[in-house]
Each structure stands twice: as structure tokens, then as C-alpha cells.
Amino acid sequence: MIDLSQPALDVAPLLLGAVISHTVVLDDGSRAEVRIRLTEVEAYMGPDDPASHAFRGPTPRTAVMFGPPSHLYVYLSYGIHRCVNVVCSPDGRASAVLLRAGEVVSGEDLARRRRSGAARQVPDRRLACGPGNLGQALGAGLSDSGAVLWQSEGLCPPPEAATWRLEPPGSPTPCSRSRRVGISHNAEKLWRFTIPDDPTVSRPR
DNA sequence: AGGCCGATATTCT
DNA sequence: GAATATCGGCCTT
């Protein structure tokens, strides 16, 4: 069980190698699930971080980051791409980890169907490469912002509901640090965490 | 293999 | 009106 009430900078490396899953309930009552092993994440430190959406205090979009940990913050990047964050820090303090890339370990067919056009033909290692692509592979929507991210211990969601789950890594995971991608403020901080040499990690454009 | 461009929600100036 | 935690398509080397 990963303690998500820590600051995002402490949580981020612990998420490498962890598996996030989103299960949806279909019309006939059956379930469809995509599971992704995380290989690339970034920490955003709220009021201490000019690159964070929470830097200037809560807005309707970012209010969930100021709430309790173990929820999701989902936002639209450039008005289009749904990017998924894990909310960290205790209730009242804002920080979050952006999920940037991973390896689809189950539900590859569903993840691929969620792509459109020529992108549906990308190799498996690119199915969840980049935050927009990872969010799309998981089927994340704006309505998932604020959803509970369940971990194996403790309370469980009702079985008929869609669920977001987090499974910790089975073994210690190697970790590299680098600069975060696509930001201009506070850009020198090494707050991007990747699994070294993993083929699913995104590369700078 | 690399550069440019359009799409477009939310927030800030 | 501008900037943004991006991506795919289409163009030129």
C-alpha cells in the first residue's frame, strides 16, 4: 500500500512499477478493464511549484487537488487530451503526480480501440506513451476527476461501479530523475521520474 | 527523422 | 487576448 498522503515528490518514485487500472461496467453487466504498469511520472508541488495547476490556489478545475489524497485529478490538456494525476498530500494541501507513460499489461485490445485514425496502429509500447495517450488508454474522462483511487487494503467500492485501482510494485523499481516535459516555469527541477531504459517511456519531441 | 500546425478547455492578464 | 503539464497529420529534407 502506497502512502499517498505524502508530498507528490515523495510519492512519485513509489509509483514507478505500480499498476493503475480502470474497470468499466458494460451495458450487459460485464466488465472491461485496462491495466497499466507506470514507467514515467512527474511530481507537481502545488503552492511551491509555479508549474503546478494548483500554484495560484484552488479553481473549479483544480479544487480536487486541495482535497484528500487517493483521488484522481483529471484535466484537459490543450482542450483535448485527458491527463490523469494522483492527488497527494493531506486534505487541505495540494500536490499531485502526473502519470505520463506506462506499459499496458492487460486490456490492450480495449486500449487500442480507444485510439482513432492511424494512431490505432501504433506498436504496443506506444499505447500509453505520453500523458494524453495514457489517459486515453485508460478511458479517463473529466467526470473521473475526483474519483477514488482504491488500494487493495481497507474499504472497497460497490461491485457494480466503475473503479480505479492502484497495485503497488512487486519488487523495488529502479528510477532515473530528469527535467519535467513541456513546462516553462520551475523547469530546472528534476521532478520527472522514469524507469531506466524502459521502451514505453516517452521521448522529447 | 524532423518541423510546423491546428484543435480547443481553462485560467490568467 | 495569451498561455498551456499534448498529440496526430501532413509537409519537407
Side-chain angles (χ1 to χ4, degrees), chain A residues 60-201:
Chain A
R61 176 177 67 156
T62 64
V64 60
M65 270 197 285
F66 292 81
S70 302
H71 292 245
L72 299 183
Y73 164 55
V74 181
Y75 72 93
L76 286 179
S77 175
Y78 291 85
I80 301 173
H81 310 290
R82 296 174 297 274
C83 299
V84 179
N85 297 251
V86 174
V87 173
C88 301
S89 302
D91 193 3
R93 304 239 202 151
S95 74
V97 177
L98 171 67
L99 310 182
R100 283 198 54 93
E103 171 194 3
V104 179
V105 292
S106 68
E108 294 182 15
D109 291 348
L110 175 55
R112 189 174 293 281
R113 282 197 303 276
R114 286 171 168 156
R115 293 290 197 99
S116 58
R120 192 168 284 183
Q121 312 301 327
V122 296
D124 284 350
R125 69 177 186 284
R126 294 268 171 261
L127 270 180
C129 178
N133 291 331
L134 184 147
Q136 187 159 33
L138 286 169
L142 282 188
S143 61
D144 292 302
S145 201
V148 172
L149 180 62
W150 300 93
Q151 298 196 65
S152 49
E153 299 163 41
L155 296 174
C156 288
E160 69 276 14
T163 56
W164 289 90
R165 287 186 180 277
L166 183 66
E167 311 163 39
S171 57
T173 308
C175 176
S176 297
R177 295 180 63 151
S178 53
R179 288 149 77 113
R180 294 176 292 178
V181 175
I183 56 166
S184 51
H185 301 297
N186 210 15
E188 74 287 358
K189 297 289 195 309
L190 303 180
W191 289 355
R192 174 176 179 250
F193 298 82
T194 57
I195 296 180
D197 302 317
D198 191 288
T200 65
V201 169

